[in-house]
Amino acid sequence: MKLRKVTAASATVFALALTATACGSDDGDSGSSGGDDKKITIGIKFDQPGLGQKTPDGYEGFDVDVATYVAKKLGYTEDQIEWKESKSADRETMLQRGDVDFIAATYSITPERSEKVDFAGPYLLAHQDVLLRADEDKIKTPEDLNDAKLCSVTGSTSAQNIKEKLAPKAQLQPYPTYSACLPGLQNGAIDALTTDDSILAGYASQSQFKGKFKLGGFKLTNENYGIGVKKGSDLKDKINKALEEMVADKSWDKAVKDNLGPANYKNEPAPKIGDIKS
């Protein structure tokens, strides 16, 4: 009788332990905590209009649309997405620490970054370009930037690259952010702003600037935007499949048009997965 009591008590404890373990288990599915509470954490930019921007109404931009589409293909609804700001300098660390499941934040694929994280994609081929006033008729080639006032943003090498390689007489004008350059470009304090054409198109697509700026179309570099994941993550293949489906069903084209179209952005065709342009 005594043995039966001990056995019954042990069985109860064992059952409770199993229940507790099941409630706290992690099935290894990235971003999922199981059941109705599952979520996925995605890194984006919060301050890039047209690409990744936090607004009073939520989050919007091309990168946001791409990330949302991918998340849905992975089995997550929009309300199961947790957006996290991913500043350029923090992206590799955030992935390595597991702060996010993946990052879609104008994240150019480079050999140096690929040593630290894996990339799905690319999902957009951008180029370094210049943004000009809509009525600008003197700057038609990169060399025409000689003697022009070129916005130089702290921490960016884009303007310096132009001065060193294409227009040595360009006058670099320091501004704290790209957003701060736009009023200066509009009022003539500067003649051109340079960074990725997708980013420039995003800024120019803002309602207060529509029709006031144009892209030079210089295509100075190739920037292959990829979706970053932790090294060795099985999400890479799943995201690649989702990106292919996004292109196939024309959702990709719609996302480009909706977010960057107002600036007359002449985007490259959707790149093939794994096709990195040097």
Side-chain angles (χ1 to χ4, degrees):
M1 187 71 178
K2 185 176 181 181
L3 179 59
R4 284 198 298 274
K5 287 182 179 178
V6 171
T7 302
S10 300
T12 301
V13 171
F14 183 64
L16 289 171
L18 282 177
T19 302
T21 302
C23 290
S25 67
D26 183 353
D27 62 7
D29 184 15
S30 262
S32 173
S33 58
D36 295 332
D37 295 329
K38 73 175 184 176
K39 67 176 182 178
I40 188 165
T41 305
I42 303 173
I44 57 169
K45 293 290 181 68
F46 278 14
D47 59 352
Q48 284 187 339
L51 291 157
Q53 186 176 29
K54 183 178 181 180
T55 74
D57 298 321
Y59 302 88
E60 60 186 28
F62 177 69
D63 283 347
V64 174
D65 287 351
V66 170
T68 300
Y69 185 99
V70 168
K72 287 182 178 179
K73 290 297 181 179
L74 294 176
Y76 298 89
T77 60
E78 287 190 43
D79 59 3
Q80 290 173 327
I81 299 174
E82 178 183 346
W83 301 105
K84 186 166 288 191
E85 183 175 19
S86 298
K87 297 180 179 178
S88 295
D90 300 333
R91 291 177 297 202
E92 286 83 39
T93 301
M94 292 178 72
L95 289 169
Q96 291 168 337
R97 284 194 313 227
D99 296 342
V100 292
D101 294 298
F102 67 80
I103 291 177
T106 57
Y107 202 0
S108 294
I109 301 171
T110 67
E112 295 77 17
R113 290 170 178 164
S114 296
E115 292 178 0
K116 301 176 182 178
V117 301
D118 285 340
F119 285 99
Y123 64 92
L124 183 72
L125 176 61
H127 308 280
Q128 184 184 342
D129 200 356
V130 295
L131 191 67
L132 308 166
R133 285 183 295 279
D135 60 358
E136 173 61 62
D137 58 3
K138 295 180 180 178
I139 300 176
K140 298 179 180 179
T141 69
E143 291 72 20
D144 293 333
L145 292 167
N146 277 307
D147 297 320
K149 296 182 288 292
L150 182 63
C151 179
S152 176
V153 174
T154 304
S156 169
T157 59
S158 298
Q160 193 64 43
N161 286 341
I162 286 180
K163 184 174 177 65
E164 291 177 355
K165 300 175 182 179
L166 298 168
K169 294 182 181 179
Q171 302 173 32
L172 301 188
Q173 305 290 311
Y175 282 77
T177 64
Y178 293 118
S179 295
C181 295
L182 294 176
L185 181 59
Q186 187 175 355
N187 64 30
I190 60 173
D191 298 311
L193 161 62
T194 184
T195 187
D196 296 358
D197 55 5
S198 58
I199 297 174
L200 295 173
Y203 283 119
S205 293
Q206 295 176 93
S207 57
Q208 68 269 36
F209 296 127
K210 284 181 182 177
K212 296 181 179 179
F213 302 121
K214 65 181 179 181
L215 291 165
F218 295 162
K219 297 185 178 182
L220 302 174
T221 63
N222 289 328
E223 304 296 335
N224 303 273
Y225 289 175
I227 292 180
V229 298
K230 190 173 184 178
K231 201 74 174 173
S233 172
D234 61 358
L235 278 180
K236 176 181 175 179
D237 290 339
K238 296 175 182 178
I239 292 173
N240 278 335
K241 182 179 179 182
L243 291 174
E244 289 176 335
E245 292 176 3
M246 187 176 188
V247 173
D249 68 16
K250 305 300 181 182
S251 296
W252 186 90
D253 295 292
K254 183 178 185 302
V256 174
K257 183 177 179 180
D258 288 349
N259 293 290
L260 304 175
N264 294 319
Y265 177 55
K266 295 178 176 59
N267 63 282
E268 299 278 5
K272 300 292 185 182
I273 298 300
D275 184 12
I276 311 297
K277 302 295 186 184
S278 59

